[in-house]
Amino acid sequence: MLDFLPEGGVCVLWSKNASLIVKKKGKNISILWDTKGPEFRSGPLECGTINLVEGETIKVVKENDDIRDELSKSFNEILVDEYQDTSDTQETFIGLIAHNNVYMVGDIKQSIYRFRFANCDIFRDKYFLYKSDTTKGKKVDLVDNFRSRKEVLDICNLVFSQLMTKSLGGIEYDDAASLHY
């Protein structure tokens, strides 16, 4: 189990009703924290994206410096794809374990997960913060598109420029937001 995890690595595991924070020691897994008793540990576990629905994991990480430090030290980089669909809970968790090592990729125009508590304001606020204050972070606009023909991009840009505004879509669809061939 957890073959992908390097020696000493830390991972968050979850099932429908509980979370674990574990550390790999040789072939053994050491449980740093769990939400359930020993009966949970014998059940099947899934590993992957962090599930923070109940916020219990955040509470533990906030209140336990040793666990927070252990998690923080186990990540050289934190890469977040589809950052526009990050929830407040996920952003809080990332903030707790980050140490100037977070790389985010996203497009506010593609935010579709509000029903899963995605908060595209997180993306928008950082986008404008990094644009105005480069000491806080670096913003790189990836506007060149090599997968579509110029005619397709021109039509998309025409439609989006008329529909998307800061009040509808979270950002002005200007030259910085438009797609370029």
Side-chain angles (χ1 to χ4, degrees):
M1 186 168 151
L2 303 179
D3 293 334
F4 68 90
L5 198 60
E7 173 66 25
V10 177
C11 182
V12 177
L13 305 168
W14 75 92
S15 74
K16 282 186 174 180
N17 301 314
S19 299
L20 294 174
I21 300 174
V22 300
K23 181 175 183 176
K24 188 171 184 179
K25 294 181 180 180
K27 292 186 177 187
N28 299 316
I29 301 298
S30 168
I31 297 175
L32 301 176
W33 174 81
D34 76 24
T35 58
K36 300 286 185 185
E39 71 281 356
F40 171 73
R41 295 180 193 156
S42 63
L45 298 175
E46 298 173 22
C47 192
T49 307
I50 298 164
N51 179 1
L52 301 169
V53 174
E54 297 179 33
E56 293 176 8
T57 305
I58 287 182
K59 182 179 179 199
V60 168
V61 172
K62 271 185 183 179
E63 294 174 357
N64 295 278
D65 294 341
D66 56 334
I67 292 174
R68 184 174 56 250
D69 292 345
E70 192 79 38
L71 279 169
S72 182
K73 288 177 190 173
S74 68
F75 297 104
N76 292 325
E77 292 96 17
I78 299 172
L79 310 172
V80 184
D81 193 14
E82 303 296 347
Y83 187 67
Q84 75 278 357
D85 290 322
T86 299
S87 71
D88 294 327
T89 307
Q90 291 166 325
E91 180 69 3
T92 299
F93 183 79
I94 292 166
L96 287 169
I97 63 170
H99 47 87
N100 197 26
N101 63 338
V102 180
Y103 304 88
M104 303 155 286
V105 177
D107 183 348
I108 198 167
K109 299 179 299 295
Q110 296 181 26
S111 182
I112 59 170
Y113 286 107
R114 285 188 188 245
F115 68 94
R116 287 182 163 172
F117 307 107
N119 180 356
C120 60
D121 292 342
I122 297 169
F123 179 94
R124 184 180 57 237
D125 293 347
K126 283 200 178 158
Y127 180 89
F128 288 114
L129 174 66
Y130 296 170
K131 185 176 181 178
S132 65
D133 187 351
T134 56
T135 65
K136 302 289 184 187
K138 183 176 180 180
K139 176 190 75 66
V140 177
D141 287 314
L142 302 174
V143 295
D144 293 328
N145 184 307
F146 304 101
R147 295 185 293 182
S148 302
R149 294 177 52 169
K150 182 180 182 323
E151 296 82 5
V152 172
L153 298 179
D154 289 344
I155 291 171
C156 290
N157 287 332
L158 175 67
V159 172
F160 292 161
S161 67
Q162 295 176 33
L163 295 177
M164 294 184 144
T165 63
K166 197 167 188 175
S167 62
L168 179 66
I171 197 164
E172 290 294 331
Y173 198 84
D174 56 13
D175 193 54
S178 66
L179 300 169
H180 301 269
Y181 182 78

